[in-house]
Amino acid sequence: MSGIYERILKHHQNGRPQLAVLIDPDKLVPDALTTFAKDAASLGADLILVGGSLLTTDRLNPVIRQLKENTTLPVVIFPGSIMQVSAEADALLFLSLISGRNADYLIGNHVIVSPILKQLKLEPISTGYMLIESGRPTSASYMSNSFPIPNNKPDIAAAHALAADYLGLKQLYLEGGSGADEPVPDSIITAVRQVTNLPVWVGGGIRTPEVARQKVNAGASVIVIGTHFEKQAGYQQVANFAHAIKA
Ligand code: 1GP
């Protein structure tokens, strides 16, 4: 499958919000994974993300393969490190952690992994990744050794978004962090959308269809949900969230 970014951009330009379901390959058992993959498209998911800030098993490849065997949806790697690459996936979020000042996550790791991505023919989608403060330290901020942007400073978030646009990045990801206490505030999303027309992904701590809708109303193009489906609601709930954000 190719042209994943083109699909995302087209939906964004047509004002059609998308739902991405994040799968942590350490967590989902094979049977549940197959059931989810078979149902995901009809439940209303648009994309499946796979990855995590810290993976403690070697299951990335088999999980992606299993997903690909059971769904027609794009399977996109959301890498927590350069170890998270796989030829089995359709694309990879090529994240530049622009909210931080850790050179490894701005350019260093990209140099190391780019020749591998070229060999694997994995579509890299350049993404300005912005950690937004969400109540307490998250795995993403800890593992990347970087500070998030204060969640009461939309002007700082907007300046980062504008810089990412001027640098030629293709989309933005506003990240509260997996299982965040508080999702990314509407004021941050709106401020970012005021300065750029790039697709804006929003994830971290979204637990209700109402909040997902609220983030779309604030300007989110793609809503990412992982923890709520994995730990509480179950994947049949994808339908309620998809319905809410597309209503
Ligand atoms: C985490 O944004 C994603 O990187 C999704 O967050 O697991 O809190 O839904 P949740």
Side-chain angles (χ1 to χ4, degrees):
M1 199 184 288
S2 62
I4 306 300
Y5 176 70
E6 291 308 316
R7 289 167 64 146
I8 294 165
L9 184 63
K10 208 166 159 188
H11 277 71
H12 166 69
Q13 289 171 337
N14 292 335
R16 288 162 53 196
Q18 296 160 85
L19 177 62
V21 178
L22 173 61
I23 299 293
D24 180 335
D26 281 351
K27 307 278 170 58
L28 209 53
V29 297
D31 284 354
L33 192 65
T34 298
T35 305
F36 162 70
K38 283 187 193 300
D39 293 349
S42 59
L43 290 170
D46 298 282
L47 299 156
I48 299 175
L49 296 185
V50 185
S53 296
L54 175 67
L55 301 188
T56 56
T57 65
D58 189 23
R59 295 195 61 225
L60 186 75
N61 262 310
V63 163
I64 293 173
R65 188 176 311 130
Q66 198 179 340
L67 287 166
K68 289 294 298 172
E69 283 169 1
N70 291 287
T71 184
T72 55
L73 292 178
V75 177
V76 178
I77 299 175
F78 179 32
S81 80
I82 54 171
M83 290 175 68
Q84 296 176 32
V85 294
S86 166
E88 315 263 349
D90 297 304
L92 171 140
L93 299 186
F94 199 54
L95 304 172
S96 192
L97 182 55
I98 59 171
S99 57
R101 300 296 179 267
N102 181 338
D104 285 339
Y105 289 95
L106 287 163
I107 181 65
N109 285 335
H110 309 68
V111 173
I112 295 167
V113 82
S114 288
I116 308 295
L117 296 182
K118 193 169 171 64
Q119 274 181 39
L120 297 181
K121 298 190 170 65
L122 197 52
E123 178 185 342
I125 304 177
S126 70
T127 303
Y129 190 49
M130 296 163 61
L131 303 186
I132 309 294
E133 180 193 5
S134 60
R136 66 175 111 170
T138 62
S139 301
S141 64
Y142 181 80
M143 294 304 294
S144 64
N145 195 17
S146 72
F147 291 116
I149 293 172
N151 62 8
N152 63 344
K153 301 288 184 191
D155 53 339
I156 294 181
H160 281 75
L162 191 57
D165 195 347
Y166 287 168
L167 280 167
L169 301 183
K170 290 179 171 172
Q171 60 180 15
L172 298 161
Y173 191 135
L174 306 180
E175 173 69 274
S178 188
D181 289 345
E182 299 292 333
V184 175
D186 298 354
S187 56
I188 297 263
I189 303 168
T190 303
V192 163
R193 282 305 302 272
Q194 277 170 354
V195 296
T196 171
N197 285 324
L198 296 177
V200 175
W201 296 46
V202 175
I206 297 175
R207 296 179 181 85
T208 68
E210 293 73 25
V211 168
R213 178 71 225 174
Q214 198 184 313
K215 301 308 161 195
V216 165
N217 289 344
S221 328
V222 181
I223 297 291
V224 183
I225 300 176
T227 306
H228 181 66
F229 297 139
E230 176 192 306
K231 293 197 172 152
Q232 289 175 12
Y235 291 95
Q236 290 303 314
Q237 281 297 311
V238 167
N240 288 341
F241 285 76
H243 180 74
I245 70 169
K246 296 169 192 201

